[in-house]
Amino acid sequence: MGALKLLLLLILVSLSLMAAAGKSPRHRHRHRWLEAHTHMKKLNKPHLKSIKSPDGDVIDCVHMAHQPAFDHPLLRNHTIQMRPNFHPEGVFSDSKVTSRASITQLWHLKGRCPEGTIPIRRTKRDDILRASSVESYGKKRAHATVKPSSIDIDFNAQNGHQHAITYVEGGQYYGAKATMNVWSPKIEQTNEFSLSQIWILGGTFGEDLNSIEAGWQVSPDLYGDNNTRLFTYWTSDAYQATGCYNLLCSGFVQINNDIAMGASIYPISSYKGSQYDISLLIWKDPKEGNWWMQFGNSHVLGYWPAFLFSYLTDSASMIEWGGEVVNSEPDGQHTSTQMGSGHFPDQGFANAAYFRNIQIVGGSNNLRAPEDIATFTEQPSCYDVQTGKSDDWGNYFFYGGPGRNPNCL
Ligand SMILES: *[C@@H]1O[C@H](CO)[C@@H](O)[C@H](O)[C@H]1NC(C)=O
Ligand SMILES: *[C@@H]1O[C@H](CO)[C@@H](O)[C@H](O)[C@H]1NC(C)=O
């Protein structure tokens, strides 16, 4: 009996010692490291080949059937759709008109992924450790999108997101397209970002918003550098529990072996120099209800299955195009993080960033110019937007700005 009591006492003592150790910073650090490691292992899939990009990324060529989408319980028995049933009319028309230098991705300089695989940017342990928690890695913070028509300036100022956008609302939209100028805006603090994108929106802001987003971004926290990267995002509950950037959670089904989400875009426009732009099209397949995405004139990337969404299973009620930055107010002043080229829209082509040929997919499933385009910006003295219309560029706008300046403090 005495020996048993002693043993129990010993166990109790060591348990409490272990509990105490569990609270130590060193143990917490170790725990976080292990958590990040486990999450990284889960995200990175077995690959047939990997390509080391000049920017430090590793691109894994993963068999299409092993992509992250199939971790989703509702996609276990999913048969991949290898092509959309439907393309909105006019999609390929601009390839005939323009023959500009093709813009692609930096990793292409070092190789390509074989047919039947998809390129996935490998997640590094440090990528996850930079996030505030393992769960928040690859996710936007809640309430990240602005509703322009009923702006609560205080609310937006609080969460620090600033926009310069154009938008249409009140109709039924089945997709959107734009050709967007690609730049490399300067980011003041690593917890800030600058992005330029299309938003396809349905539902109620702040509650159950459904959003599909695509464009380019510079986000030091997400990627660990200042490169301009192609990205996508989706959520079906206003950025709360569902959705993520790129392929960082299961949802998007990729079919394309050329374009990696989250990979650096190359080349980038320069001030008063060469201009580069990318075309993005997102549209709903009227037959299956899936939302498809196309990069450039020929790269159909894949689709978001209809079941991921509630409102967007029918149609979108709002489309937005433009830029967004996070203003974390370093030193209590407005951030000097740039939007677009970092120059105001009135400076025009080769100086300010643009979106051109902005179009929507309407009720008859064809691409057309949007009507009643509105604009929104919280502080035009920091970031602004100006719309226009021409034969070559259709509906276009210049947008962006430098952030902090004598009129924006
Ligand atoms: C997948 O197929 C299996 C076997 O046919 C079936 O038991 C299972 O319920 C299916 N799962 C889903 C999510 O449809
Ligand atoms: C990103 O740019 C900021 C300044 O804009 C610089 O301080 C930082 O070192 C850069 N980060 C990397 C990883 O190059």
Side-chain angles (χ1 to χ4, degrees):
M1 277 312 265
L4 188 60
K5 268 188 182 160
L6 188 65
L7 187 64
L8 280 173
L9 188 69
L10 273 174
I11 290 171
L12 270 175
V13 167
S14 44
L15 277 178
S16 44
L17 276 174
M18 276 158 71
K23 293 193 186 90
S24 79
R26 194 160 144 245
H27 180 89
R28 269 203 304 271
H29 178 76
R30 173 90 192 137
H31 177 70
R32 200 162 140 64
W33 192 92
L34 278 173
E35 240 188 350
H37 188 79
T38 310
H39 195 57
M40 178 187 79
K41 288 274 180 214
K42 186 171 150 261
L43 284 175
N44 293 330
K45 303 298 179 194
H47 51 270
L48 301 182
K49 177 181 174 184
S50 61
I51 295 157
K52 185 121 177 48
S53 171
D55 60 1
D57 279 4
V58 176
I59 303 294
D60 288 330
C61 307
V62 173
H63 193 285
M64 208 180 285
H66 298 152
Q67 64 181 299
F70 298 107
D71 290 342
H72 198 295
L74 293 175
L75 283 171
R76 290 273 151 74
N77 299 339
H78 183 76
T79 308
I80 302 180
Q81 253 194 284
M82 288 308 292
R83 60 207 318 269
N85 292 302
F86 174 81
H87 254 120
E89 202 178 301
V91 172
F92 295 107
S93 61
D94 37 10
S95 63
K96 294 168 204 139
V97 188
T98 32
S99 62
R100 60 188 58 235
S102 72
I103 181 164
T104 51
Q105 296 194 306
L106 193 59
W107 64 274
H108 287 175
L109 298 175
K110 296 291 178 186
R112 294 298 185 112
C113 281
E115 291 276 330
T117 69
I118 64 161
I120 306 183
R121 177 184 185 265
R122 189 184 297 175
T123 293
K124 301 186 178 94
R125 198 185 299 107
D126 283 346
D127 289 338
I128 303 175
L129 287 171
R130 276 191 309 274
S132 56
S133 68
V134 168
E135 294 72 34
S136 65
Y137 172 61
K139 290 180 183 287
K140 282 191 181 183
R141 285 168 49 190
H143 313 306
T145 296
V146 66
K147 181 178 189 186
S149 52
S150 65
I151 346 136
D152 181 343
I153 293 286
D154 287 343
F155 173 77
N156 283 308
Q158 263 170 24
N159 81 11
H161 288 244
Q162 299 216 319
H163 306 77
I165 58 172
T166 62
Y167 65 96
V168 290
E169 65 177 338
Q172 288 183 320
Y173 310 107
Y174 298 89
K177 186 178 184 186
T179 298
M180 43 176 117
N181 199 196
V182 184
W183 287 86
S184 180
K186 192 169 71 58
I187 313 296
E188 179 167 350
Q189 301 236 118
T190 56
N191 63 345
E192 299 176 327
F193 62 66
S194 180
L195 53 77
S196 296
Q197 64 168 92
I198 303 175
W199 286 260
I200 311 271
L201 301 163
T204 311
F205 282 79
E207 286 171 28
D208 55 5
L209 188 74
N210 287 197
S211 183
I212 291 177
E213 309 173 16
W216 58 260
Q217 67 180 166
V218 179
S219 176
D221 261 0
L222 188 55
Y223 302 105
D225 61 24
N226 295 321
N227 291 348
T228 302
R229 293 163 178 278
L230 175 73
F231 81 94
T232 60
Y233 200 91
W234 69 275
T235 178
S236 59
D237 64 351
Y239 309 95
Q240 296 173 67
T242 60
C244 59
Y245 280 110
N246 307 330
L247 298 179
L248 295 175
C249 62
S250 51
F252 189 82
V253 180
Q254 183 160 341
I255 59 166
N256 182 284
N257 64 332
D258 282 328
I259 304 296
M261 293 192 190
S264 301
I265 301 174
Y266 173 82
I268 304 291
S269 307
S270 58
Y271 186 63
K272 296 193 187 296
S274 303
Q275 298 303 300
Y276 296 94
D277 55 30
I278 55 172
S279 291
L280 296 180
L281 166 66
I282 297 166
W283 79 101
K284 188 178 163 71
D285 181 335
K287 190 160 167 241
E288 308 274 345
N290 301 330
W291 287 87
W292 287 80
M293 174 167 161
Q294 179 175 295
F295 176 90
N297 292 317
S298 56
H299 298 291
V300 175
L301 288 200
Y303 56 94
W304 290 270
F307 75 81
L308 293 174
F309 304 103
S310 47
Y311 295 95
L312 289 178
T313 49
D314 180 25
S315 62
S317 53
M318 185 169 193
I319 309 285
E320 298 177 356
W321 298 265
E324 176 181 343
V325 301
V326 174
N327 171 26
S328 67
E329 296 198 23
D331 320 320
Q333 286 187 305
H334 195 285
T335 183
S336 61
T337 286
Q338 300 174 332
M339 182 190 291
S341 69
H343 295 270
F344 283 114
D346 60 2
Q347 295 189 23
F349 184 74
N351 305 323
Y354 62 82
F355 275 54
R356 62 184 175 89
N357 297 107
I358 64 172
Q359 287 173 283
I360 55 152
V361 180
S364 49
N365 277 308
N366 52 358
L367 277 163
R368 63 173 172 82
E371 285 147 24
D372 301 323
I373 302 171
T375 62
F376 170 78
T377 181
E378 283 94 351
Q379 282 178 276
S381 56
C382 306
Y383 311 104
D384 206 358
V385 54
Q386 270 178 22
T387 58
K389 194 170 179 174
S390 74
D391 286 345
D392 280 358
W393 277 25
N395 286 92
Y396 68 85
F397 62 91
F398 287 99
Y399 71 104
R404 185 162 70 229
N405 72 74
N407 299 317
C408 166
L409 296 169

